[in-house]
Amino acid sequence: FSDANLGRYGIAPAAISAALKGDGRCQGYCIFVAEPSAASWMIDELPFGRGFVVLDVEKLPQTFKEIFSHAALE
């Protein structure tokens, strides 16, 4: 989970992408609870289906459902 303001911490999208793809035995996902502009640049750099933007926290259950469905298919 992140507010997607990772640039201020010196974390680049490429570093997160590498971590998500680092070990084929596990599957990692990122959920950014943020405004669209803050998260869109992160999502574009992550592996397809591994990054999610949640603009309304009431949609978190649906986001988790999508993640679990995606993970089950891999």
Side-chain angles (χ1 to χ4, degrees):
F1 286 98
S2 173
D3 62 1
N5 291 318
L6 300 177
R8 75 174 142 171
Y9 307 119
I11 301 171
I16 293 176
S17 182
L20 292 175
K21 297 186 286 186
D23 186 342
R25 297 173 295 167
C26 64
Q27 298 175 32
Y29 297 85
C30 289
I31 300 173
F32 299 109
V33 180
E35 61 185 48
S37 61
S40 63
W41 72 281
M42 296 295 291
I43 296 297
D44 292 342
E45 299 295 323
L46 297 181
F48 179 76
R50 297 295 180 99
F52 296 85
V53 176
V54 177
L55 305 176
D56 179 359
V57 294
E58 291 182 10
K59 301 201 183 211
L60 276 174
Q62 178 61 34
T63 302
F64 279 109
K65 182 178 178 182
E66 289 179 43
I67 290 171
F68 295 141
S69 295
H70 184 265
L73 295 175
E74 282 195 4

